[in-house]
């Protein structure tokens, strides 16, 4: 057993480093078939390693800090990727921020949330969570999404689904303030609203000793390396994905959905594993926290980057997307209010994700 654990620790250390080295070697290249397969394998390994190190850090710092670390880390790297692509991509990336943020919001609010509620309900009969904290998180996500992704479609200062400079500045400042207020509420003022609900079901790690500060620090560093590898290799692999999707007749815009799915894999796996341990609240913290961070950190960063970006910055959603967002919020409210959910609620959210993906394929 000792040898197995040592091998596992060695694997979770070497894979993120190998992914980072591979990323440096292939960045800016269009990989062939063999190299694309190698990158895919390294990407999968980096995802699994990121989940492991995120759970080590979460166990050390406790909740809700643990889920906050993973959500913010993934989002910061994702934001950096978006800005890099927009700076180098030219006018065709005008809607990249909107498409990426909306895809991330739909995947987290419906995919991760629905899957974890379904898994939690299958395991214990009912997925139980704190309605106060979950409701506050959902309200924050809905407000951020409406201000940053819906209002640009209806403002009249500039033509098209676009904010004026003053409007973009206002949205960026409000997004940062609202996200900061939520983080303070989650981690300081009302931390108990975001902790797992105590039930009669035993939790496998309830009495496990937390890792040492040194081990947690090393895991935090390796988590960041692994996430850089995940996002960077997903970017390198995007050309191969784009070619593959084009070969089977899928629209170019669907590439953004695939990349978002890859980038959010670490959070998805971590959230499902938490649900399997009867910690549905941690799963919800990850899902809604990721959606909130994706909007609340991306829009302010893009607002600053727009100073030197050429061309328009299209943020407003189309009619179909707004309908899906509105339905997601309504269903989310009905899911959150009771503080517990059955398989049905999880299934409804998963159907909404399926509708989003289907309409992205066949708009």
């Amino acid at each position: 057993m000792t040898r197995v654990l040592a091998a596992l620790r060695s694997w979770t250390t070497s894979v993120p480093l190998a992914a980072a080295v591979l990323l440096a070697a292939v960045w800016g290249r269009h990989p062939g078939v063999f190299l694309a397969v190698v990158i895919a394998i390294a990407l999968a390994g980096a995802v699994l390693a990121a989940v492991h190190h995120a759970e080590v850090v979460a166990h050390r710092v406790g909740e809700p800090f643990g889920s906050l670390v993973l959500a913010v880390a993934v989002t910061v790297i994702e934001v950096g990727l978006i800005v890099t692509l927009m700076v180098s991509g030219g006018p065709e990336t005008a809607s990249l921020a909107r498409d990426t943020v909306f895809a991330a919001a739909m995947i987290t609010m419906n995919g991760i949330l629905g899957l974890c509620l379904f898994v939690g309900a299958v395991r214990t009969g009912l997925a139980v969570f704190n309605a106060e904290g979950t409701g506050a998180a959902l309200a924050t996500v809905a407000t951020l999404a409406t201000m940053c992704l819906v209002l640009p479609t209806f403002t009249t200062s500039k033509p098209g689904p676009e904010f004026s400079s003053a409007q973009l500045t206002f949205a960026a400042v409000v997004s940062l303030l609202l996200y900061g207020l939520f983080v303070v509420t989650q981690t300081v003022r009302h931390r108990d609203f975001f902790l797992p609900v105590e039930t009669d079901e035993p939790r496998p790690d309830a009495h496990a000793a937390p890792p040492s500060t040194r081990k947690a620090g090393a895991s935090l560093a390796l988590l960041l390396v692994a996430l850089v590898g995940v996002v960077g290799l997903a970017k390198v692999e995007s050309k191969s994905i784009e070619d593959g999707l084009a070969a089977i007749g899928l629209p170019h815009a669907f590439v953004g959905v695939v990349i978002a799915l890859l980038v959010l894999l670490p959070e998805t796996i971590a959230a499902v594993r938490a649900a399997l341990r009867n910690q549905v609240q941690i799963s919800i913290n990850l899902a809604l926290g990721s959606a909130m961070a994706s909007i609340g950190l991306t829009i302010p960063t893009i607002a600053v980057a727009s100073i030197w970006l050429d061309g328009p910055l299209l943020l407003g959603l189309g009619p179909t997307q707004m309908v899906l967002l509105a339905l997601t919020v309504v269903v989310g409210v009905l899911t959150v209010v009771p503080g517990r959910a059955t398989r049905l609620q999880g299934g409804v959210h998963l159907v909404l994700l399926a509708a989003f993906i289907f309409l992205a394929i066949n708009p």
Side-chain angles (χ1 to χ4, degrees):
M1 178 62 71
T2 303
R3 291 181 179 179
V4 173
L5 292 176
L8 179 62
R9 285 195 294 269
S10 175
W11 177 83
T12 55
T13 299
S14 59
V15 167
L17 298 177
V21 172
L22 179 61
L23 174 61
V26 301
W27 184 258
R29 295 174 56 185
H30 183 192
V33 176
F34 176 77
L35 187 55
V37 172
V38 173
I39 292 173
I41 294 172
L43 180 60
V47 167
L48 296 176
V51 173
H52 168 79
H53 292 298
E55 291 182 341
V56 172
V57 174
H59 194 189
R60 175 61 187 177
V61 301
E63 282 299 318
F65 297 99
S67 55
L68 183 64
V69 167
L70 180 57
V72 173
V74 169
T75 305
V76 168
I77 297 171
E78 181 184 355
V79 167
L81 177 60
I82 293 172
V83 173
T84 301
L85 290 174
M86 292 188 71
V87 170
S88 60
E92 61 270 19
T93 62
S95 63
L96 178 64
R98 176 196 66 192
D99 295 340
T100 305
V101 168
F102 181 65
M106 294 301 290
I107 291 167
T108 52
M109 294 173 66
N110 286 317
I112 300 178
L113 179 63
L115 183 59
C116 292
L117 291 179
F118 190 86
V119 168
V122 167
R123 186 184 183 281
T124 62
L126 278 177
V128 182
F129 49 88
N130 277 306
E132 297 94 336
T134 306
L138 181 62
T140 307
V141 172
T143 302
L144 287 170
T146 301
M147 291 191 61
C148 297
L149 299 177
V150 175
L151 288 182
T153 302
F154 299 98
T155 54
T156 58
S157 296
K158 297 190 74 171
E162 187 179 355
F163 271 148
S164 67
S165 298
Q167 291 168 340
L168 182 59
T169 301
F170 174 79
V173 171
V174 170
S175 296
L176 278 178
L177 290 176
L178 191 55
Y179 182 69
L181 180 60
F182 176 82
V183 170
V184 171
T185 302
Q186 183 185 36
T187 59
V188 181
R189 301 295 298 178
H190 299 286
R191 182 183 174 190
D192 54 313
F193 288 176
F194 302 89
L195 297 178
V197 176
E198 294 298 331
T199 65
D200 295 332
E201 283 284 330
R203 296 208 304 265
D205 62 342
H207 304 290
S212 64
T213 302
R214 180 178 178 181
K215 182 178 180 180
S219 285
L220 178 60
L222 288 169
L223 169 64
L224 295 176
V225 173
L227 291 176
V228 169
V230 169
V231 178
L233 291 177
K235 165 61 177 66
V236 174
E237 195 82 335
S238 63
K239 184 61 178 174
S240 299
I241 295 172
E242 182 179 344
D243 293 343
L245 294 177
I248 58 177
L250 293 180
H252 181 270
F254 191 68
V255 175
V257 178
V258 176
I259 298 301
L261 287 168
L262 290 173
V263 170
L264 289 169
L265 259 181
E267 287 163 301
T268 303
I269 296 174
V272 171
R273 290 178 65 169
L276 288 171
R277 295 194 301 267
N278 193 30
Q279 296 178 321
V280 176
Q281 185 63 51
I282 295 178
S283 302
I284 294 175
N285 291 346
L286 277 168
L288 296 182
S290 297
M292 194 184 312
S294 182
I295 304 171
L297 297 179
T298 300
I299 300 304
T301 305
I302 297 300
V304 174
S306 65
I307 296 173
W308 66 83
L309 288 175
D310 295 327
L313 178 61
L314 306 181
L315 291 177
L317 298 174
T320 303
Q321 296 169 316
M322 284 189 284
V323 169
L324 285 173
L325 178 61
L327 185 56
T328 295
V329 172
V330 171
V331 171
V333 170
L334 296 176
T335 298
V336 164
V337 168
R340 56 185 185 174
T342 66
R343 305 177 192 185
L344 175 60
Q345 281 95 337
V348 170
H349 282 281
L350 291 174
V351 166
L352 286 174
L353 175 68
F356 163 70
I357 293 176
F358 176 77
L359 292 173
I361 296 173
N362 188 16

